[in-house]
């Protein structure tokens, strides 16, 4: 009995190891994305490490995270700045429409609703961008173009992950404590559909080979 209890391959210890990886990767993402301009690189690394190490059980989650973070930094930073700037401008425009709606400007509610729905595409492209970068090699222009193509080609998935991510983000901001696990769990949720999409564009396993 005691031998089974302390067996590192036992189900309890495997679950504890998985939970530790989820916590560690979430914290790594939080601290490495604090400058904001590194948000894309951090998300790329989080998706790669969570999908490979948490989902498939590979060891060395934090090492994989850091390797991917530094490797993809040169493309991820300008992509974050460009697409993040675009999303900020679009969000500001939505805020203006919201104010017009509160002021009871004619046609403002309909315009705000249509605009909010249209925002799903650029926001979705932003969420596809960094998982794509973790699986394929891109130039900056190629990454921007491909993420937009994926957001349109897999539109139902795009809407689902945007709504889910927004809900998780709101809960995390309101209660803070979930932030300990929600970043990693969110990318794992993305991977359910994203890996299926990536599999169609790769000849074999959508996960890249382990780096020694």
């Amino acid at each position: 009995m005691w031998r089974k209890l302390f067996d590192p391959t036992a189900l309890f210890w495997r679950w504890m190891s998985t939970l530790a990886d989820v916590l560690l990767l979430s914290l790594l993402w939080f601290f490495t994305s604090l400058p904001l301009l590194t948000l894309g690189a951090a998300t790329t690394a989080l998706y790669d490490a969570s999908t490979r190490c948490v989902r498939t059980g590979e060891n060395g989650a934090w090492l994989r995270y850091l390797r991917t973070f530094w490797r993809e930094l040169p493309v991820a930073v300008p992509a974050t700045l460009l697409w993040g700037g675009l999303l900020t401008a679009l969000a500001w425009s939505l805020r203006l429409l919201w104010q017009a709606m509160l002021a009871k400007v004619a046609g403002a509610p309909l315009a705000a609703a249509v605009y909010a729905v249209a925002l799903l595409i650029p926001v979705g492209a932003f969420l596809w961008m960094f998982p794509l970068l973790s699986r394929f090699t891109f130039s900056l222009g190629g990454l921007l173009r491909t993420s937009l193509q994926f957001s349109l080609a897999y539109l139902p998935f795009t809407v689902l992950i945007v709504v889910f991510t927004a809900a998780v983000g709101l809960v995390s901001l309101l209660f803070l404590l979930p932030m300990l696990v929600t970043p990693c769990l969110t990318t794992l949720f993305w991977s359910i559909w994203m890996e299926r999409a990536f599999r169609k564009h790769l000849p074999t396993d959508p996960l890249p080979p382990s780096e020694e």
Side-chain angles (χ1 to χ4, degrees), residues 44 47 71-79 125 127-151 197-198 201-202:
T44 303
Y47 183 89
R71 185 181 67 238
E72 305 301 345
L73 203 60
V75 175
V77 168
L127 297 184
W128 276 98
M129 188 176 300
F130 303 109
L132 277 166
L133 185 59
S134 77
R135 292 289 173 263
F136 305 92
T137 300
F138 288 103
S139 64
L140 176 59
L143 177 62
L144 298 176
R145 181 176 62 255
T146 305
S147 63
L148 184 58
Q149 290 172 339
F150 267 72
S151 70
F198 297 159
H201 302 273
L202 288 170

Side-chain angles (χ1 to χ4, degrees), residues 20-54:
D21 282 344
V22 169
L23 287 168
L24 176 61
L25 291 175
S26 296
L27 289 173
L28 278 172
W29 178 85
F30 179 77
F31 286 111
T32 55
S33 61
L34 278 179
L36 291 185
L37 61 88
T38 59
L39 175 64
T43 305
T44 303
L46 178 62
Y47 183 89
D48 183 55
S50 63
T51 306
R52 169 63 78 179
C53 299
V54 177

Side-chain angles (χ1 to χ4, degrees), residues 153-184:
Y154 300 96
L155 188 57
F157 298 159
T158 299
V159 173
L160 179 62
I161 63 176
V162 169
V163 172
F164 178 84
T165 304
V168 169
L170 179 61
V171 170
S172 299
L173 287 175
L174 289 175
F175 300 103
L176 295 181
L177 188 60
M179 182 65 74
L180 292 173
V181 296
T182 51
C184 185

Side-chain angles (χ1 to χ4, degrees), residues 8 23 39 42 59 72 74 86 99 110 112 114 144 153 162 169 211:
L23 287 168
L39 175 64
N59 294 324
E72 305 301 345
L86 172 64
Q99 291 175 340
L110 178 60
V114 171
L144 298 176
V162 169
E211 298 179 27

